[in-house]
Amino acid sequence: MHGSHDYKSFILPLFVSLLRNADAQTCSALDGYPRVDNQPLRPNDLPAVQLFNDWQNSTVSILGNDALLLNVSSGSIRQAGYSNYTSQVELLSKIVTAEEVSRMLQLLNSPQTSLDQDPDTVDGFSTQEFFLDNDSLRNGESGKPGFESPEQAEHRRELRQALQNIAQPILEERITPYVNQRFPTCQGRCTPCYSLIRRYLYGERQSHAPHRDGHSFVTVVVSLSDYGTDYLGGLYVASETSHPYYLRLQQGDAAVHQSDLLHGVKVYPVETENGLHATRWSWILWFRDSEQCEDESHVWFKDCAEKGNPTCQMMHATKVSSIPGISSEEAMKEVVFWNQKAAEMGHATACVKLARALLGKLPSHLKKDRKEARKLFLRAIESSNDPDAQYGMATLYLEDASTNVILGRPNDDLVKKAVAHLEASALGGHPFAMFNLGMVHMMGYGTKIDHALAGEWFEASGLPEGLAARSMHYSSMGEPEKAAEFQRRAQSLGFGAPWRVLARESTGYGGAGGIDFNLPWPPNESNRVPPKW
């Protein structure tokens, strides 16, 4: 729990107490929300993996290398909001050979190889990655200053060099020439300024929240694992956060896209005779349009923002603070201006950011306006069925319900509406909503207490806190081995780390803060509220 190591002393007895009194605590079913036979949403009801199949295939030769022919599949994904703008993604088949992949995996699977455990800037989990090249390394420092021990840094120098010996020819002869040829705006200057390896493993990190690579002019993701054999799901692209389409990447295939593409990762296990397993290794490259790796991102989205592209407007808002000579006050006004332009076109991310600013949860010069924030959440739901907006509406209803408790007014309808929005948010993949559905069924908000379903939702969230809650649930059921396994999984993602709470608050779901993981639940029928994590 938040700032404390004695969470078990509170939550574990709470689980046990709820199990003993489950039959005595019931609430009416939710009204006005579609479900089969009026039953609550369950993790098994979440959408199945849907593959992206709308490809146009072609063969591309690299200029200056007539012997190199690439099989390229090109796809187009509609961007968020009411506009008809699109983002592009391409798959390069076998850009890395099977022999090269094998050599890289042999190094990465060594028992001596360790991965970074620092907080990720997208979801606040431990990163489970390893940099081959970045600004720090080029300056003669460690890959992540402050997060590597001297012993780890020494071993990594040897590992990094061995991996670079494999990677550098691939970059120089294939990937970088393709990027510069494919994207004329590179003007031949695009350079792989960041190179890293990331691992997704069943029972540890299995996801990366939906986001856009605002720091990268072009992103290349090379799969070192096979879809269908090593894992299911994996890298996905999306128009809206709530509708991911997964890319079937085999060993050596690469996905190529620019920073306007919404994407994420969700790895699912493969079922075998020996049980469930999933391992997905990726080699990720972030290019800048500078041979010296200078950051010129403040101009990347300016032109298309001025031409009315709402995704560019939202992305440009994230970059205005780096415009040379701009003051912090001017930058804040520009951030609001460009997000307002994008929100007018129904861009969900811009709507949600503005709503949070109007609620005082993100810094801005705007006056608090709860009514306008609600309108923006509803616009994001209308345009994109956005999970963050659904979660925002649930928060507003619970705040109203808690106020009603103080005023002595009924709050059942407000709680039911909040739960309905949480279910809609969970259907869109929001882990905070899934965790709070665990609280719904643990505490009996708008439904009867169901400790088994609560445990399922805690696990489905994939959050460190959710896995820790699942561990406590198994402890309360007298299953110590399962409890220990889920506690291990929670800690592998950062649960209990000194940085986890701050990282969670600053990243939210996909890199934008201003979202509260601990919702303002009113007391339940037993006059209890969920613990703070």
Side-chain angles (χ1 to χ4, degrees):
M1 280 194 308
H2 197 350
S4 174
H5 295 287
D6 64 346
Y7 52 88
K8 289 185 179 179
S9 66
F10 180 87
I11 298 182
L12 187 53
L14 178 58
F15 265 117
V16 174
S17 173
L18 289 173
L19 296 183
R20 291 173 178 169
N21 297 286
D23 292 338
Q25 302 179 45
T26 59
C27 293
S28 60
L30 296 177
D31 296 325
Y33 190 72
R35 57 163 60 93
V36 178
D37 297 328
N38 210 32
Q39 295 299 307
L41 187 74
R42 311 184 76 90
N44 286 342
D45 298 325
L46 298 179
V49 169
Q50 187 171 356
L51 293 174
F52 184 85
N53 290 314
D54 191 13
W55 298 108
Q56 299 293 322
N57 299 319
S58 62
T59 302
V60 175
S61 61
I62 300 300
L63 297 177
N65 189 348
D66 294 336
L68 182 58
L69 292 176
L70 299 178
N71 293 320
V72 180
S73 300
S74 303
S76 180
I77 298 93
R78 185 183 63 80
Q79 292 181 3
Y82 302 132
S83 71
N84 292 318
Y85 290 96
T86 60
S87 298
Q88 312 304 315
V89 62
E90 295 178 344
L91 295 190
L92 311 183
S93 178
K94 305 301 180 186
I95 190 74
V96 179
T97 68
E99 187 269 340
E100 290 164 336
V101 170
S102 177
R103 288 166 58 201
M104 294 179 81
L105 289 177
Q106 186 174 4
L107 292 167
L108 293 169
N109 286 317
S110 166
Q112 287 75 41
T113 298
S114 61
L115 301 176
D116 292 328
Q117 304 296 319
D118 59 310
D120 189 89
T121 56
V122 169
D123 57 20
F125 294 6
S126 59
T127 55
Q128 304 291 321
E129 64 190 19
F130 170 67
F131 270 90
L132 305 185
D133 191 21
N134 62 16
D135 294 334
S136 296
L137 289 167
R138 288 191 295 275
N139 290 332
E141 302 172 355
S142 66
K144 290 183 180 176
F147 286 97
E148 281 185 346
S149 67
E151 296 80 9
Q152 188 181 42
E154 179 61 31
H155 169 70
R156 285 182 161 192
R157 271 192 285 271
E158 299 177 7
L159 174 62
R160 187 174 287 116
Q161 187 58 57
L163 287 167
Q164 286 283 49
N165 290 341
I166 304 169
Q168 205 57 36
I170 300 170
L171 287 174
E172 293 176 358
E173 298 168 10
R174 286 167 253 168
I175 295 179
T176 300
Y178 176 81
V179 168
N180 278 292
Q181 179 175 315
R182 167 62 181 83
F183 300 98
T185 48
C186 284
Q187 298 180 348
R189 297 180 291 114
C190 278
T191 304
C193 298
Y194 300 88
S195 174
L196 67 147
I197 303 291
R198 185 175 289 147
R199 185 191 68 185
Y200 298 88
L201 182 67
Y202 180 62
E204 295 188 13
R205 175 181 270 282
Q206 291 180 232
S207 65
H208 208 210
H211 61 283
R212 296 174 178 87
D213 292 339
H215 56 283
S216 175
F217 193 72
V218 177
T219 294
V220 178
V221 179
V222 179
S223 178
L224 305 180
S225 303
D226 271 329
Y227 184 94
T229 302
D230 298 320
Y231 70 96
L232 294 172
L235 178 66
Y236 62 79
V237 297
S239 296
E240 298 97 9
T241 302
S242 55
H243 293 94
Y245 294 91
Y246 290 82
L247 307 183
R248 185 191 291 269
L249 292 173
Q250 305 299 336
Q251 275 192 350
D253 293 349
V256 182
H257 62 84
Q258 290 197 276
S259 46
D260 59 352
L261 179 69
L262 182 64
H263 64 285
V265 175
K266 186 67 178 289
V267 168
Y268 296 91
V270 177
E271 189 169 357
T272 69
E273 294 180 355
N274 298 320
L276 300 175
H277 80 90
T279 304
R280 179 178 179 268
W281 288 98
S282 293
W283 175 26
I284 301 166
L285 299 159
W286 294 323
F287 283 75
R288 283 180 175 169
D289 56 342
S290 165
E291 293 175 345
Q292 290 75 39
C293 291
E294 296 171 334
D295 184 3
E296 301 290 340
S297 58
H298 62 279
V299 301
W300 289 352
F301 310 102
K302 185 174 183 294
D303 288 346
C304 56
E306 291 175 344
K307 292 177 182 177
N309 182 320
T311 296
C312 289
Q313 291 167 342
M314 185 278 298
M315 294 295 289
H316 186 55
T318 68
K319 299 297 179 181
V320 292
S321 62
S322 61
I323 295 174
I326 194 170
S327 69
S328 58
E329 184 178 353
E330 290 173 324
M332 188 169 289
K333 290 180 179 178
E334 285 288 293
V335 168
V336 170
F337 172 79
W338 286 111
N339 274 309
Q340 286 175 332
K341 297 288 285 185
E344 289 170 4
M345 294 293 291
H347 197 284
T349 303
C351 289
V352 168
K353 286 184 175 182
L354 281 176
R356 291 176 182 171
L358 289 165
L359 293 170
K361 296 180 179 180
L362 286 177
S364 80
H365 65 279
L366 297 173
K367 293 182 179 180
K368 287 187 178 181
D369 190 333
R370 205 165 181 273
K371 184 177 180 181
E372 187 61 28
R374 185 177 186 276
K375 289 181 181 179
L376 286 163
F377 283 142
L378 292 175
R379 185 183 302 170
I381 292 171
E382 178 189 64
S383 70
S384 305
N385 193 25
D386 185 72
D388 261 325
Q390 297 279 11
Y391 192 84
M393 287 299 299
T395 304
L396 293 181
Y397 278 123
L398 289 177
E399 288 173 350
D400 290 342
S402 296
T403 299
N404 278 5
V405 170
I406 297 172
L407 298 176
R409 298 171 180 169
N411 61 30
D412 286 353
D413 286 344
L414 295 172
V415 171
K416 290 176 183 178
K417 290 177 180 178
V419 173
H421 280 289
L422 286 176
E423 291 191 333
S425 181
L427 280 169
H430 204 300
F432 287 17
M434 296 182 198
F435 179 87
N436 276 282
L437 285 178
M439 290 299 177
V440 165
H441 296 288
M442 187 177 88
M443 305 293 292
Y445 285 113
T447 186
K448 67 179 182 180
I449 286 178
D450 187 336
H451 54 272
L453 183 52
E456 290 177 19
W457 276 118
F458 289 140
E459 181 177 348
S461 75
L463 294 168
E465 296 80 4
L467 299 177
R470 183 59 150 161
S471 171
M472 296 170 207
H473 173 243
Y474 278 125
S475 290
S476 71
M477 297 291 290
E479 299 188 50
E481 291 184 1
K482 289 184 178 180
E485 171 60 17
F486 275 89
Q487 185 68 12
R488 181 200 65 78
R489 291 173 62 177
Q491 291 173 341
S492 76
L493 295 180
F495 183 74
W499 47 258
R500 168 57 189 163
V501 172
L502 180 60
R504 183 186 76 204
E505 292 172 350
S506 62
T507 61
Y509 176 50
I515 179 174
D516 199 344
F517 172 79
N518 293 298
L519 290 180
W521 291 102
N524 68 357
E525 288 189 351
S526 297
N527 203 33
R528 285 177 168 173
V529 295
K532 299 295 183 183
W533 289 73

